[in-house]
């Protein structure tokens, strides 16, 4: 299945693996990034210490925006029909997450399944994924980054024009670079275990006098999570708690004895709150938990990491392919650092609501009341789901409100210049190739806009498909859409379009009108 896409050669110091991009970490963020880099034509080598995709439960929730991302690359068919839940929570307070989307609500997909899906995608596209490789050293050079890893056959030297750290909350790359990582360490924690052989009632964020208890049983395995009010985070030093500790705390909080059960998996997660000051350090970039460390409330951590990678992948591929300048990578930091900051802020608020004692009850009551007001639920649901993201990329104050937002998933029908048998298409289907997209949408002077795009024909697909009736897309002006599905420009003038094309897709391959 795996196709080796890297060139290898030897120098005086031994074997060197050379590629465009080295990715450290084969979790969801690293695998999504590898797939996007290959889709964009970049060579990539991924190194990871683990022998394969995770076998642990860990995250189990995909939010609407992540489902849309997978759909935009044609990957949802492999997931089948996962269970959907319209209701999530904000700090344990029930929250309806349904918003306009092709995949509203949240979808229950185990992290192991996500990693299997993304690894298969990356391998089919030609990524070189090297398991059981522990990253040891890192050195920045004028023409790239050289790293050394210890693999099953001994040391391996890797040289990439860029390196991206997707190696988790305890990132080796972050430590080797001594990257500035402001914030605070955990002061409170949730203990978590998957247990068989116990029979207890399901609990959804049940606040008891002594603490918080959560339980859910699926297919004979019960997941329990528990926090004892006032109990500080333990000094874990990278080790997981034992099941006896979880059972003791569970009994003190709930009065129930689960000690006779058989633990399948046990861990603890604290209310860490840290974010890299910079997501880019020259030729080294960070994505996922390597860039931000937070309590995984409502599954936001995995989704945030996948979305980081989706933003970065097409940009980095364009840079190493030579179609865009290095400055395009600075937009990754600007856009995703801001999003990460907003997510960490909402998680800080949720931590107080979840793990705070009786003193937070008035705030929880007030929040439940506020969620009944118009706009409040939608705002928080947009934050949790990722559907509310709007990047600050509009160059024109008069730009359409969609600029900076994701392209809605809507049907399109044949327009002028399209074959009669073009049929109906979804906007999401047009993103499968990972190219940019110009939707003419019956824009005035559509012919001139189409001609202006000629110098970017290798990077941008132009279509005259028009919105079906009732579509939220504008008519009479064109939309330029980035490969990650966000609208980069709206308008009717070739000059404005060319400026946007240069900004997001680099210089024209041929002369084009100014």
């Amino acid at each position: 299945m795996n196709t080796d896409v890297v060139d290898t050669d030897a120098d005086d110091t031994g074997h060197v693996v050379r590629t465009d991009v080295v990715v450290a970490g084969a979790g969801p963020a690293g695998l999504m990034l590898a797939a996007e880099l290959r889709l964009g034509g970049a060579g990539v080598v991924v190194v990871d210490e683990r022998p394969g995709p995770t076998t642990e439960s860990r995250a189990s929730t995909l939010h609407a925006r992540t489902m849309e991302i997978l759909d935009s690359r044609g990957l949802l068919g492999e997931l089948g029909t996962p269970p959907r839940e319209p209701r999530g929570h904000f700090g344990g307070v029930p929250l309806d997450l349904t918003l306009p989307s092709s995949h509203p609500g949240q979808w229950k997909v185990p992290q192991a399944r996500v990693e299997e899906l993304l690894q298969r995608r990356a391998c089919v596209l030609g990524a070189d994924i090297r398991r059981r490789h522990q990253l040891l050293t890192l050195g920045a050079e004028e023409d790239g980054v050289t790293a050394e890893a210890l693999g099953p056959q001994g040391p391996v030297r890797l040289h990439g024009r860029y390196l991206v750290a997707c190696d988790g909350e305890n990132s080796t790359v972050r430590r080797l670079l001594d990257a500035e990582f402001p914030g605070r360490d955990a002061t409170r924690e949730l203990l978590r275990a998957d247990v068989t052989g116990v029979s207890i009632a399901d609990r959804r964020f049940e606040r008891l006098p002594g603490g918080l208890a959560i339980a859910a049983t699926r297919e004979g395995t019960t997941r329990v999570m528990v926090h004892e009010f006032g109990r500080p985070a333990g000094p874990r030093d990278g080790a997981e708690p034992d099941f006896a500790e979880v059972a003791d705390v569970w009994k003190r909080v709930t009065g129930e004895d689960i000690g006779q059960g058989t633990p399948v998996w046990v861990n603890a997660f604290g209310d860490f709150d840290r974010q890299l000051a910079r997501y880019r350090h020259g030729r080294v970039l960070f994505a996922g938990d390597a860039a931000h460390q937070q309590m995984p409330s409502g599954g936001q951590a995995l989704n945030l990491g996948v979305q980081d990678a989706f933003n970065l992948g097409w940009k980095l591929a364009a840079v190493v392919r030579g179609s865009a300048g290095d400055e395009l990578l600075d937009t990754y930091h600007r856009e995703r650092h801001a999003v990460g900051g907003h997510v960490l802020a909402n998680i800080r608020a949720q931590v107080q609501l979840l793990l705070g004692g009786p003193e937070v009850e008035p705030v929880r009551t007030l929040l439940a009341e506020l969620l009944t007001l118009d706009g409040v639920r939608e705002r928080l649901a947009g934050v949790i789901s990722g559907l509310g993201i709007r990047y600050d990329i509009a160059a024109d104050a008069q730009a359409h409100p969609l600029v900076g937002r994701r392209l809605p998933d809507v049907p399109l029908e044949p327009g002028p210049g399209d074959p009669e048998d073009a049929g109906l298409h979804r906007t999401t289907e047009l993103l499968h190739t990972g190219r940019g997209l110009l939707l003419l949408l019956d824009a005035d002077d559509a012919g001139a806009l189409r001609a202006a795009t000629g110098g970017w024909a290798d990077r941008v697909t132009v279509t005259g498909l028009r919105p079906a009736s009732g579509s939220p897309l504008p008519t009479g002006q064109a939309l330029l859409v980035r490969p990650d599905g966000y609208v980069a420009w709206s308008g009717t003038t070739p000059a404005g379009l060319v400026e946007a094309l240069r900004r997001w897709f680099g210089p024209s391959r041929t002369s084009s009108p100014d």
Side-chain angles (χ1 to χ4, degrees), residues 76-342:
L76 283 187
E78 296 185 50
L79 282 183
T81 308
R84 172 183 172 268
E85 295 182 4
R87 186 179 68 162
H89 73 93
F90 190 91
V93 177
L95 174 65
D96 181 357
L97 291 175
T98 54
L99 291 172
S101 169
S102 55
H103 301 87
Q106 58 181 1
W107 302 76
K108 308 311 290 184
V109 183
Q111 181 171 334
R113 184 74 183 89
V114 175
E115 290 190 16
E116 291 168 359
L117 172 71
L118 294 177
Q119 176 170 288
R120 184 160 52 251
R121 165 74 166 181
C123 288
V124 166
L125 290 173
D128 180 0
I129 299 177
R130 303 193 176 204
R131 295 286 185 174
R132 296 187 176 92
H133 279 65
Q134 179 185 8
L135 192 68
L136 300 176
T137 65
L138 186 68
E141 303 168 1
E142 185 176 345
D143 65 340
V145 181
T146 297
E148 183 173 322
L150 182 61
Q153 307 303 318
V156 178
R157 293 184 64 217
L158 305 124
H159 180 88
R161 294 171 60 189
Y162 292 86
L163 182 144
V164 184
C166 301
D167 53 344
E169 61 182 8
N170 298 313
S171 169
T172 298
V173 176
R174 197 177 61 225
R175 174 178 55 79
L176 291 172
L177 286 185
D178 194 23
E180 185 181 357
F181 197 41
R184 64 174 179 79
D185 291 331
T187 59
R188 294 171 290 187
E189 67 181 1
L190 270 169
L191 301 176
R192 176 168 57 174
D194 288 347
V195 192
T196 60
V198 297
S199 180
I200 57 176
D202 284 0
R203 290 180 166 90
R204 184 176 173 85
F205 303 104
E206 183 175 15
R207 289 175 61 82
L208 299 163
L212 172 72
I214 304 163
T217 299
R218 292 188 178 91
E219 299 180 353
T221 299
T222 301
R223 168 164 292 186
V224 298
M225 290 190 282
V226 62
H227 169 73
E228 187 174 15
F229 293 148
R231 186 173 187 263
R236 302 292 175 194
D237 296 326
E240 301 292 6
D242 56 37
F243 181 59
E245 180 182 355
V246 178
D248 287 346
V249 175
W250 183 268
K251 187 170 185 179
R252 288 199 298 271
V253 170
T254 68
E256 297 173 344
D257 185 2
I258 61 171
Q260 78 282 2
T262 300
V264 177
W265 176 62
V266 180
N267 87 325
F269 56 93
D271 60 340
F272 293 95
D273 182 27
R274 292 188 176 277
Q275 184 181 24
L276 277 175
R278 293 179 292 135
Y279 282 15
R280 182 184 183 191
H281 292 66
R283 290 181 176 271
V284 178
L285 299 104
F286 291 81
D289 288 347
H292 35 74
Q293 192 176 29
Q294 63 285 306
M295 194 172 83
S297 178
Q300 290 186 89
L302 182 150
N303 290 268
L304 183 61
V306 168
Q307 292 166 34
D308 284 347
F310 200 63
N311 182 287
L312 175 60
W314 68 274
K315 296 175 180 177
L316 186 50
V319 170
V320 300
R321 202 176 59 236
S323 60
D326 182 79
E327 65 278 2
L328 182 62
L329 299 179
D330 293 331
T331 70
Y332 166 67
H333 166 78
R334 287 199 298 271
E335 294 176 357
R336 295 308 299 175
H337 192 275
V339 170
H342 287 310

Side-chain angles (χ1 to χ4, degrees), residues 407-408 412 426-441 453 456 459-465 473 478-489 497 501 505:
L407 180 70
L412 298 171
R426 292 166 54 214
T427 49
T428 298
E429 293 172 351
L430 301 179
L431 295 170
H432 284 188
T433 61
R435 292 162 54 89
L437 178 64
L438 179 67
L439 296 171
L440 294 175
L441 303 176
T453 316
W456 290 268
R459 286 154 278 174
V460 178
T461 299
V462 183
T463 178
L465 293 169
L473 298 183
L479 294 181
L480 179 65
V481 184
R482 306 187 323 189
D484 60 354
Y486 284 84
V487 179
W489 173 84
L497 173 60
L501 287 165
F505 298 96

